[in-house]
Amino acid sequence: MSKFSLKDIFSGEILAKEWVKKQYRLIFLICGLLFAYIYFGYQSERQQNCLNQLNKELQDAYFTKQTLNAQVMTQTRQSSIAKRLEEKGSKIRESHVAAVKID
């Protein structure tokens, strides 16, 4: 194996050397693996960003659900329903007689 100089590298004469000619397959394999490594790195980064965005949306939906659930619980309390009926002028009143279980 002879020494390579910068002049050989920049002029392209290094590609004509016998040792390099024998290693073309290995060089192409290494270049192919390098391109695949870079491609899959970018691909996984894109998927990670998408996953992070979906997690944020899921968290927002969860908090929205919690807020709506609290509002529904507040609006369906017996006292809230009685108050709304009274405001609308309804004649329906709350019963003061205890419920009886029928066997």
Side-chain angles (χ1 to χ4, degrees):
M1 184 168 119
S2 63
K3 293 185 177 183
F4 301 118
S5 67
L6 285 177
K7 180 183 174 190
D8 290 339
I9 294 172
F10 288 125
S11 68
E13 291 179 16
I14 193 169
L15 298 175
K17 302 263 182 186
E18 191 63 33
W19 179 83
V20 175
K21 286 182 181 179
K22 290 180 182 178
Q23 303 300 327
Y24 273 137
R25 288 183 184 162
L26 179 63
I27 293 169
F28 286 135
L29 176 67
I30 291 171
C31 288
L33 291 174
L34 182 65
F35 286 129
Y37 178 77
I38 292 169
Y39 171 77
F40 288 121
Y42 282 125
Q43 186 70 18
S44 67
E45 187 175 335
R46 265 187 253 126
Q47 287 179 348
Q48 187 65 36
N49 289 339
C50 182
L51 186 61
N52 289 340
Q53 181 66 27
L54 289 173
N55 281 333
K56 285 179 186 177
E57 289 177 19
L58 180 64
Q59 191 174 21
D60 288 344
Y62 175 76
F63 288 131
T64 302
K65 181 205 118 216
Q66 291 294 89
T67 303
L68 292 174
N69 192 19
Q71 289 174 353
V72 167
M73 291 299 291
T74 303
Q75 291 176 356
T76 57
R77 277 195 206 131
Q78 186 176 356
S79 59
S80 296
I81 293 173
K83 190 177 192 180
R84 283 189 293 167
L85 285 172
E86 186 179 306
E87 287 174 358
K88 291 188 178 187
S90 177
K91 293 181 181 180
I92 299 175
R93 298 286 175 242
E94 186 176 346
S95 176
H96 296 290
V97 178
V100 177
K101 182 176 179 183
I102 300 174
D103 291 320

